[in-house]
Amino acid sequence: MHVSSSAERMPLGGRAVGRSIESEEMEKMAEGRVLKIRMWVGAVGLAVALIVGGVAGSLVTAKSQGVPFGSGQAVPMYIANDRARGDAHAPLPMTFAPIVKPAMAAVVNISSSKMVRTPGAGPWAPFFNDPFFRRFFGDQFQFNVPRERREQSLGSGVIISPEGYLLTNNHVVDGATDIRVFLDDNRELKARIVGTDPKTDVAVLKVDAGNLPTLTLGDSSKVQVGDLVFAIGNPFGLSRTVTMGIVSATGRGNLGIEDYEDFIQTDAPINPGNSGGALINARGELIGINTAILSSGAAGNQGIGFAIPVNMARHVMEQILRHGKVVRGYLGVTIQPVTSAIAKAFGLSQARGALVADVRPDSPAAHSGLAKGDIILELNGQPIHESRELQLKIAQAAPGTTVRLKVFRNGQERDVSVTLGELPSPESRGNQSNEQASALDSVSVDDLTPQVARQLGLPISTRGVVIVDVEPGSTAADAGLQRGDVIQEVNRQPVTTVREFERAVDQAGNGPVLLLVNRSGQSFYVVIESQ
C-alpha cells in the first residue's frame, strides 16, 4: 500500500484512521513550539508581576505600612517597616518614576538671606586711607566705613512631618534673617529655625502648614556599598532635580568638614544647591541629607558626594525638639587614632581602639580612673575599630548613662565603668576657663622619676613634679620659675604626682598660689599671682 508524504485526508464526518510518521513528527515540533511560547509568555508575566510588585511595595512602605514615629509625640513621622522591604535581588524596573515622584513632592527649595557688612572699597581707597593723606584732608573721606548688603543663598530641604517640620543643613540657613520655602505645588511659605547643630551641620525648620507630603525615614545603619540611591534637590537653582548613583562608601570621617562625621559617600551627582536635599534608596526611603562634595577646586560634582546619615540627623532633630538643643554625652578625654606604630609601642597585637592622650581634671573619665596611655578597645561590648567610633558613640549617649569600657593598659585588658556627663557648650567651656584661670596655667609639669632626679643633680629620693615648660611672659615666668625646677608643695600641700599637682591647683582656684620649689638641691618659696 502506498503511503503519501502528506497527512491523509480526513473523511467527511469522521477522523483519519492512519497518519504518516512525518506528520506525527511535525505535530510534535509544533507542540514543542507552543510549549516554548507559553513558557516565554509566563516568564514575561512573572517579570512584570515582580516589577509591579516591587514598585507597589515601595509605595506601600512609604505610605500605608509606615510606622508612626514617637507615639504621643507632637511631631508624627513615618519610619520604614522592615516587613515591607522588597527583595534585594528582584530585577530592576525600566523606570523609577513611581519611586521618585512621591519623594520629589517632599523635597523643597530653600531661599535664605542675611545682611552682611563689608568694608568700603574703591580704587582710591588705599590713598584716602593713607595717614599722610588724612593729615591734610582730614576724615571726610570715610572709605573704611563698612557697607551693609543682603546676601542670598539657595539650598534644599526635606519635609519629614506633615505638620511642617523640615530637615536641612545648618550652613544653608546659618545667620539667615529671612527664610523662604518653595513647595512642589508652587506655594511659597515663610520658615523659622527651630534649632541648629553646627557640629553635624543639621538644622530643623518649621513652616505653618499642614497635611504636607513627607518622606519615610529609612535606617541608614543598613545602607551598604553598592546600594542604588537617588539625590533630590535644587542644584544651581534648578528645582526638583533627581540624579542617580550608588553608595560608594559608608562611615566616612576625618574629612575636616564637621566635628562629628559619619558620612555616606555616593557618586550620585551632587552640586551647589543640593545641600540639605534628600538621598533616598530604591524604596523611596530617606537615608541621608546631602551635605558636601569633594571637588578638588572644581566648581561642580566630581563623583564624590557626602550625605549625613538619616539616623544621625534624626537623633539631632529629636534632641532639638525635646530639649531645644543637642545634648551629648561627655567622657572627658582627648583621644587619638591607634596606628600600627603606636600599637607596637604599647604592646597591642593590632592597630585598633582609641588611645587616651589626655584626661581632663574632674571629668567622668578622671573619676573612673582612666589614665593617659589607656587604649579603649570596646564600649558596651561593641569593638572600637577607630577613635572616631568612640567619639560618635559617646556623643549619642545620654548624660547620666553608665557605659562599660574595655581598656588595654600595661599589656593587660581591664573593665572600667564610667557614668557620662553632659558635653559642655563652647560658651560654657570658655566661661569656665575664664572663671577658673589659674596662676599656673602657663606651667607644664611631669612626674619626677629617679632618672630625671639624677639628671637634675638631686637625690633619687626627692619627691615632687618637675617643670618641663614655662610660657614666656607669664606671671610664673616673671616670678622666676624655670624649666627643671621641682615643685614639692602647692599651698603647703605636698605633691608627688601630676594628678596631685593638678588637684591642688584646682583647689586653689584663681587666687595666688604658694609653691615650695627645689632647684639644684636648694628649696625656696615663691608666690604666683593669678593671671
Side-chain angles (χ1 to χ4, degrees), residues 3-68:
V3 178
S4 171
S5 63
S6 61
E8 292 184 354
R9 294 179 181 270
M10 186 169 58
L12 183 63
R15 297 174 59 187
V17 178
R19 299 187 337 198
S20 70
I21 296 175
E22 291 182 2
S23 67
E24 290 179 358
E25 291 178 351
M26 292 177 65
E27 286 185 14
K28 289 180 180 179
M29 292 174 63
E31 289 177 358
R33 284 195 297 270
V34 172
L35 179 60
K36 290 179 179 179
I37 291 173
R38 289 176 179 172
M39 291 178 63
W40 180 81
V41 172
V44 172
L46 178 60
V48 172
L50 286 173
I51 293 173
V52 174
V55 174
S58 67
L59 296 178
V60 170
T61 301
K63 298 298 180 183
S64 61
Q65 292 192 15
V67 180

Side-chain angles (χ1 to χ4, degrees), residues 473-531:
S474 64
T475 55
D478 293 341
L481 288 184
Q482 60 189 37
R483 190 171 182 269
D485 286 348
V486 176
I487 300 176
Q488 297 183 300
E489 291 183 3
V490 177
N491 284 345
R492 307 303 299 272
Q493 297 180 26
V495 293
T496 58
T497 65
V498 172
R499 181 167 296 182
E500 290 179 357
F501 172 79
E502 291 176 342
R503 188 179 300 117
V505 171
D506 288 340
Q507 292 175 355
N510 57 0
V513 180
L514 175 65
L515 302 179
L516 176 62
V517 179
N518 186 322
R519 179 182 296 167
S520 302
Q522 298 293 324
S523 298
F524 60 93
Y525 285 99
V526 59
V527 175
I528 311 298
E529 300 289 345
S530 60
Q531 301 184 63

Side-chain angles (χ1 to χ4, degrees), residues 286-498:
L286 180 69
I287 60 170
I289 303 296
N290 300 322
T291 297
I293 59 175
L294 193 62
S295 61
S296 299
N301 170 69
Q302 298 292 308
I304 300 180
F306 302 102
I308 301 169
V310 71
N311 289 9
M312 176 184 286
R314 174 183 163 190
H315 173 75
V316 170
M317 177 183 60
E318 291 172 356
Q319 293 284 305
I320 289 175
L321 295 179
R322 186 177 296 118
H323 304 291
K325 62 177 183 178
V326 180
V327 179
R328 293 186 168 92
Y330 173 62
L331 184 58
V333 295
T334 301
I335 56 176
Q336 67 183 77
V338 178
T339 63
S340 298
I342 288 178
K344 183 177 180 180
F346 278 83
L348 194 61
S349 60
Q350 60 180 354
R352 60 191 177 100
L355 174 62
V356 177
D358 193 18
V359 178
R360 292 180 177 85
D362 198 31
S363 67
H367 295 160
S368 69
L370 282 176
K372 297 178 182 178
D374 286 346
I375 298 178
I376 300 175
L377 302 176
E378 293 182 4
L379 187 148
N380 290 336
Q382 299 296 318
I384 301 298
H385 299 96
E386 56 176 332
S387 58
R388 184 176 53 86
E389 288 184 35
L390 179 66
Q391 181 190 26
L392 292 172
K393 291 180 183 295
I394 293 297
Q396 292 182 359
T401 302
T402 299
V403 297
R404 294 176 291 104
L405 303 177
K406 184 177 290 295
V407 174
F408 184 83
R409 179 189 297 174
N410 298 328
Q412 295 182 343
E413 294 183 359
R414 61 180 65 192
D415 294 325
V416 177
S417 294
V418 184
T419 300
L420 302 178
E422 179 179 341
L423 180 68
S425 64
E427 294 79 8
S428 62
R429 285 200 297 267
N431 294 337
Q432 184 179 24
S433 63
N434 290 334
E435 293 173 1
Q436 297 181 354
S438 167
L440 295 175
D441 282 347
S442 58
V443 177
S444 299
V445 300
D446 201 353
D447 291 331
L448 180 65
T449 64
Q451 293 82 359
V452 173
R454 190 178 295 110
Q455 292 175 3
L456 296 175
L458 301 174
I460 60 174
S461 60
T462 305
R463 295 291 180 265
V465 293
V466 59
I467 296 177
V468 295
D469 187 47
V470 180
E471 183 179 335
S474 64
T475 55
D478 293 341
L481 288 184
Q482 60 189 37
R483 190 171 182 269
D485 286 348
V486 176
I487 300 176
Q488 297 183 300
E489 291 183 3
V490 177
N491 284 345
R492 307 303 299 272
Q493 297 180 26
V495 293
T496 58
T497 65
V498 172

